[in-house]
Amino acid sequence: MTANLTKQTHFDAIIIGGGACGLMCAVQAGFLGKRTLVLEKNDRVGAKILISGGGRCNYTNLHTTHKQFISQNEHFSRSALAQWTVDDTISFFETYGIEGKEKTLGQLFPATNKAKDIVEMFTSLCNDLDQQIQCNTEVVAVRQTSEGFEVDTLHYNRQETLFATKVVIASGGLPIQKLGASDFGLRVARSFGMRVTTTSPALVPLTITGKDQPWYEQLSGNSIFCRVWNDRASFEENILFTHWGLSGPAILQISSYWKPGELIYVDMLPGQDIAELITTEREQNGKKTLLNYLAGLFTKKFADALSGHLPVNKNLASLSKTDMESISNLIHEFKVKPAGSKGYDKAEVMTGGVDTDELSSKTLEAKKIPGLFFGGECVDVTGWLGGYNFQWAWASGFVIAQSI
Ligand SMILES: Cc1cc2nc3c(=O)[nH]c(=O)nc-3n(C[C@H](O)[C@H](O)[C@H](O)COP(=O)(O)OP(=O)(O)OC[C@H]3O[C@@H](n4cnc5c(N)ncnc54)[C@H](O)[C@@H]3O)c2cc1C
């Protein structure tokens, strides 16, 4: 390894991380006539964009407000989201050839269903706007000097220190190390004396172990529409049973609000009342067994699984008041005690990150370190499932580009 002297650069800013936030920042800076250098440790940019949404990239959500973001300061994302709105994302993507197609719940995907179209749009814009992308370059440290910042890089095995007056940390969060995820943004923040809030995997499947695990395993592959909640949030979407626990959109959503040791609650018939349904049914079909009734309502497999918890062999006419209460509790307030989560390898995002108190919500510049900016997932702003995280990444990239 050879050491080099600090190299002056002719860029207005160095952007660390060629992901959603870094690429948008480079392009928007280019529109303003500025020049940036994007340093990316992978051999290509946009690794997470490429695999997102099952390779289709759910790039925004029509219903975005600051309320779909988790942060110690729930108002922090307002300014960036107002400066770069969902309409801005849609028209920007359309202008550069990507028509959106709404799937469920306001989720927008490219009409072509190809996430790679988005990465290609950004790389070709960077090229047209003379923004330089340097891959295979890991940034190992950032230091402040009297005139700006020294950025220590490793390009293959070559060590080089670059100088820039402004630095943007867009190095993402902790999920999925093999895609380049690192704690770099958090380390830089700490090295500058900035606070970092506790991080944990979010939008992540939850595991069940011990005596309860076989119950979940027997239902592996089954999916039901539920309301899932705890005392902080509630979501109505599908849950998916697996041999190790629970997944599916409703579980991923609640996982961002779950803390180890806590229960989550599941209503398997949201918006309906099982006691009323049974009362109506037994007027017509009192001899029907509870098992058959539940099999019609859900699936036979699911009804069988409930047989350990309920008097399923009784016919509807003979169910007592206590039976009805047990059925109601089980169906409408099923208690789940996850053992843990599948961790950063299976999480889509992380909660926590650079403390928003350390940043200007308007510019995302560090309050104590002028010229240093943090955007995207490394900041303590975490979106719900459904395109919100990319909307935050685009918005924060745009906002930073205005100030570098
Ligand atoms: C499986 C999966 C599916 C997802 N699907 C969606 C979806 O459909 N919709 C949605 O809104 N969100 C989705 N997300 C979340 C979304 O991908 C992230 O929120 C978003 O990519 C964050 O953007 P970012 O620019 O902050 O970070 P990233 O996109 O992660 O980019 C950070 C970049 O920095 C690079 N880097 C890290 N450290 C260094 C370093 N020291 N030196 C140089 N480079 C470095 C990384 O290699 C990476 O390329 C998904 C995430 C996953 C894991």
Side-chain angles (χ1 to χ4, degrees), residues 191-222:
S191 75
F192 281 100
M194 296 166 65
R195 282 185 306 274
V196 170
T197 65
T198 307
T199 53
S200 52
L203 300 182
V204 64
L206 298 174
T207 58
I208 309 282
T209 55
K211 65 176 174 39
D212 291 341
Q213 184 269 339
W215 190 83
Y216 290 84
E217 186 173 15
Q218 69 181 318
L219 285 169
S220 182
N222 280 252

Side-chain angles (χ1 to χ4, degrees), residues 95-307:
T95 303
Y96 297 102
I98 296 179
E99 294 293 323
K101 179 171 69 180
E102 186 188 351
K103 297 255 158 99
T104 53
L105 305 169
Q107 301 171 3
L108 234 64
F109 292 79
T112 57
N113 275 329
K114 288 184 186 142
K116 80 173 179 39
D117 293 352
I118 294 178
V119 177
E120 279 168 11
M121 170 189 77
F122 277 111
T123 49
S124 101
L125 274 170
C126 281
N127 192 38
D128 295 349
L129 294 162
D130 208 15
Q131 308 300 303
Q132 193 171 320
I133 295 174
Q134 187 176 309
C135 290
N136 297 301
T137 306
E138 179 172 8
V139 178
V140 289
V142 177
R143 282 182 307 279
Q144 197 174 22
T145 67
S146 53
E147 276 140 35
F149 299 90
E150 284 178 338
V151 176
D152 292 341
T153 67
L154 270 181
H155 182 52
Y156 295 104
N157 267 346
R158 189 155 165 263
Q159 193 180 313
E160 188 169 52
T161 300
L162 305 174
F163 174 83
T165 50
K166 299 204 169 137
V167 166
V168 179
I169 312 289
S171 53
L174 295 169
I176 319 206
Q177 222 177 353
K178 66 174 191 278
L179 293 178
S182 76
D183 65 349
F184 180 75
L186 312 180
R187 274 192 278 127
V188 171
R190 288 193 189 102
S191 75
F192 281 100
M194 296 166 65
R195 282 185 306 274
V196 170
T197 65
T198 307
T199 53
S200 52
L203 300 182
V204 64
L206 298 174
T207 58
I208 309 282
T209 55
K211 65 176 174 39
D212 291 341
Q213 184 269 339
W215 190 83
Y216 290 84
E217 186 173 15
Q218 69 181 318
L219 285 169
S220 182
N222 280 252
S223 176
I224 51 172
F225 183 78
C226 291
R227 182 170 83 90
V228 178
W229 78 98
N230 64 12
D231 57 6
R232 292 182 282 280
S234 170
F235 296 95
E236 273 186 30
E237 279 184 76
N238 280 349
I239 68 170
L240 173 69
F241 292 87
T242 73
H243 58 278
W244 40 257
L246 288 171
S247 188
I251 293 297
L252 300 188
Q253 297 279 34
I254 203 72
S255 74
S256 304
Y257 290 88
W258 176 78
K259 292 199 176 77
E262 290 181 353
L263 289 172
I264 55 175
Y265 302 90
V266 179
D267 182 347
M268 300 167 194
L269 275 181
Q272 298 185 71
D273 181 342
I274 185 73
E276 270 177 27
L277 291 177
I278 290 177
T279 307
T280 309
E281 180 73 13
R282 74 175 161 197
E283 280 164 16
Q284 315 288 324
N285 292 309
K287 288 197 177 133
K288 190 183 258 186
T289 61
L290 178 61
L291 184 69
N292 281 342
Y293 181 64
L294 292 175
L297 215 47
F298 301 103
T299 59
K300 171 80 169 62
K301 188 153 195 183
F302 198 70
D304 284 341
L306 294 177
S307 63

Side-chain angles (χ1 to χ4, degrees), residues 21-97:
C21 174
L23 290 171
M24 181 59 103
C25 187
V27 166
Q28 295 297 336
F31 289 148
L32 296 170
K34 302 168 190 177
R35 283 202 67 215
T36 63
L37 168 65
V38 178
L39 300 176
E40 168 56 53
K41 72 180 197 177
N42 288 335
D43 60 3
R44 57 180 171 168
V45 294
K48 273 198 191 160
I49 300 175
L50 288 172
I51 54 117
S52 66
R56 295 172 307 160
C57 188
N58 174 199
Y59 64 89
T60 192
N61 193 297
L62 298 175
H63 308 311
T64 306
T65 70
H66 72 284
K67 292 185 181 154
Q68 291 87 33
F69 294 88
I70 304 164
S71 171
Q72 269 188 15
N73 176 355
E74 61 189 40
H75 298 288
F76 183 81
S77 60
R78 275 178 187 262
S79 174
L81 295 172
Q83 290 179 67
W84 179 267
T85 64
V86 173
D87 285 348
D88 291 325
T89 300
I90 294 169
S91 62
F92 170 78
F93 275 56
E94 277 176 6
T95 303
Y96 297 102

